[in-house]
Amino acid sequence: MCRFVYSGLLVLCVSFCSADTWTVDLNGGGDFTDIQSAINAAGPGDTVQIADGVYSGPGNQNISFLGKAITVKSINGPDACIIEGDNTVPSMNRGFIFESDEPRESILEGITIRDFWYLTCCEGGAGIVIANGDPTIRNCRVLNCQIELDMCPCEIFGGGIFVQQGSPLFENCVIKGNGGVSYGGGIACGDMMANVWVFLENCIIANNSAMYGGGIYEYFIDCSQIKNCTVVNNNSYGLYCQNPPMPGPFSSPVIENIFWGNIPYQTWGYSLLTSRNYTPSSVLDPLFVDPVKGDYHLQWNSPCIDYCQYAQTSGDDIDIDHEPRCMGQYVDAGADEVGPKQADFSRNGKIDLIDFGVFSSAWGATPGEANWYLLCDLVKDDHINLDDLKQLCFDWLWQADWYE
């Protein structure tokens, strides 16, 4: 059964000034029209909130937190707020830069960073580079970011993300389609110059490529903790550790993940993956909903459900969809935690008009048709029809216990 661990709370009474909120709106409806100007104005504890739109050009690239303990977040999530590079020609522009010893309270949240093609001699991280700092990156997407080597004989680390020095936390992020480097197409944790400790939790790392560590690359022993991530379809290993840890019972910081479809092998340098992670040695296909289209949710009959019998979780832990991180007997492997009702297609804890819209789009479909969506086949007869509609009506307006 799920085991919940609670820690005591240390309450500190401090005096502080009230925090401000700065709004960025490229259409002129906020305090600033570019992100860097808002960060320049922000003080400790402030929030920079970004309105919907696709942000590019000066002030919206090479964005630096300047060492400030602030929150930079979208108003409506990563689907609506996009920081975009120019992927038609390489340039010396990247997404975000953390280089001034940013603390954990420096938070980047709910933003898509995509299509940066970074021209460099020796530096990686076209989407995000953490040269020195411990920021929190939450609910962000780093997509289709590449490195272009500028006539230098260097080995480049980190196509999408490069952590050169520090201890950042990545939560509920998608790192997909990045590459162009020697090591760590999706994310590189450390290089030969400095040790790091990177936390990756509830992340999807997919379709990245590199010479070594298409998904994740580690240079030093145990330089990252990877937990409840889905690492799939990366070219040249899902996880590559240059200097692997010594084996021992449950000593690996890589636990409760899914490694699947990575080539030529899932991992290099970790001998404990089969005991606490779901890998091809677990035999059965993990049964993602639609991996071809990038939907790595688990089907309701996935063998990854209730797979992590040794997992410990707190009552506040969530999965990549912000659902509670234990809704069955045990924690599920990977980034997705499966809820109790299949008809909750939106995974928002309630069966409502959003779910009906998804169901309507798939109405009448059979496998192989363009509008086929496996989860809408509620009675599992390979045809979305009246029988499925009856089940949807039966579950209509159901709410999960955690729904707010």
Side-chain angles (χ1 to χ4, degrees):
M1 62 184 297
C2 293
R3 295 177 290 175
F4 294 90
V5 179
Y6 296 90
S7 60
L9 296 177
L10 177 63
V11 181
L12 301 176
C13 296
V14 296
S15 60
F16 57 94
C17 298
S18 60
D20 292 322
T21 297
W22 306 87
T23 300
V24 179
D25 187 341
L26 58 81
N27 296 313
D31 302 296
F32 300 95
T33 56
D34 71 87
I35 300 166
Q36 189 64 66
S37 295
I39 292 176
N40 294 346
D46 285 0
T47 295
V48 174
Q49 62 177 11
I50 308 172
D52 297 355
V54 178
Y55 293 78
S56 61
N60 298 312
Q61 56 197 16
N62 302 314
I63 303 166
S64 174
F65 267 56
L66 304 174
K68 298 181 179 182
I70 60 175
T71 296
V72 177
K73 63 183 295 186
S74 65
I75 294 176
N76 293 310
D79 285 335
C81 182
I82 298 166
I83 312 300
E84 187 174 70
D86 181 0
N87 66 357
T88 62
V89 60
S91 69
M92 297 185 69
N93 297 314
R94 59 196 353 157
F96 282 85
I97 302 171
F98 297 88
E99 58 183 354
S100 303
D101 199 21
E102 282 83 2
R104 183 70 80 231
E105 293 75 23
S106 298
I107 300 171
L108 179 64
E109 182 174 356
I111 294 172
T112 291
I113 304 157
R114 74 183 188 195
D115 296 336
F116 281 91
W117 190 1
Y118 184 56
L119 180 66
T120 180
C121 179
C122 294
E123 296 180 349
I128 299 173
V129 63
I130 300 174
N132 180 26
D134 308 328
T136 299
I137 316 295
R138 180 183 299 135
N139 193 28
C140 288
R141 298 172 182 170
V142 180
L143 310 176
N144 304 322
C145 293
Q146 308 289 323
I147 295 293
E148 180 78 16
L149 194 59
D150 186 18
M151 303 296 290
C152 293
C154 295
E155 294 182 326
I156 305 299
F157 296 78
I161 302 168
F162 177 37
V163 182
Q164 185 176 26
Q165 187 171 334
S167 181
L169 168 63
F170 293 86
E171 295 180 317
N172 300 67
C173 293
V174 176
I175 304 168
K176 184 178 179 182
N178 307 287
V181 292
S182 305
Y183 303 96
I187 178 171
C189 306
D191 60 14
M192 61 191 72
M193 302 301 295
N195 203 354
V196 301
W197 185 267
V198 179
F199 296 87
L200 288 160
E201 300 182 4
N202 301 322
C203 294
I204 294 174
I205 302 167
N207 300 109
N208 305 285
S209 62
M211 290 179 61
Y212 300 98
I216 307 166
Y217 172 84
E218 295 183 349
Y219 186 81
F220 285 100
I221 294 174
D222 288 359
C223 66
S224 66
Q225 175 175 298
I226 306 168
K227 181 179 180 183
N228 278 118
C229 291
T230 299
V231 184
V232 293
N233 298 335
N234 297 286
N235 191 343
S236 192
Y237 304 96
L239 167 63
Y240 188 96
C241 183
Q242 188 79 24
N243 299 287
M246 296 299 292
F250 305 137
S251 63
S252 174
V254 181
I255 56 174
E256 293 141 27
N257 306 286
I258 298 173
F259 289 89
W260 195 265
N262 304 289
I263 57 173
Y265 303 105
Q266 305 308 312
T267 66
W268 190 93
Y270 275 96
S271 60
L272 296 179
L273 286 176
T274 55
S275 63
R276 299 197 66 177
N277 297 270
Y278 196 90
T279 71
S281 61
S282 306
V283 180
L284 299 176
D285 189 305
L287 295 180
F288 298 121
V289 169
D290 194 343
V292 174
K293 295 182 179 179
D295 189 344
Y296 295 107
H297 289 104
L298 300 176
Q299 297 182 35
W300 260 254
N301 57 340
S302 168
C304 297
I305 296 172
D306 290 341
Y307 184 79
C308 305
Q309 59 181 313
Y310 297 106
Q312 293 185 337
T313 182
S314 74
D316 295 328
D317 289 346
I318 58 175
D319 74 349
I320 196 167
D321 298 312
H322 307 285
E323 291 183 313
R325 175 47 85 185
C326 189
M327 294 187 284
Q329 185 177 13
Y330 301 112
V331 169
D332 301 344
D336 178 36
E337 192 78 14
V338 174
K341 289 289 185 180
Q342 181 170 332
D344 182 20
F345 310 123
S346 65
R347 306 295 182 99
N348 68 354
K350 182 179 181 180
I351 298 175
D352 55 14
L353 288 174
I354 297 175
D355 304 297
F356 184 75
V358 174
F359 185 83
S360 298
S361 297
W363 177 253
T366 56
E369 295 183 344
N371 63 329
W372 169 256
Y373 186 50
L374 184 146
L375 294 187
C376 292
D377 185 18
L378 297 172
V379 300
K380 298 178 175 58
D381 62 355
D382 290 336
H383 190 196
I384 299 171
N385 53 24
L386 286 174
D387 292 331
D388 303 298
L389 180 59
K390 290 177 184 177
Q391 184 62 48
L392 179 65
C393 293
F394 181 81
D395 291 332
W396 187 248
L397 297 183
W398 167 87
Q399 292 185 9
D401 293 338
W402 47 269
Y403 179 81
E404 295 181 359

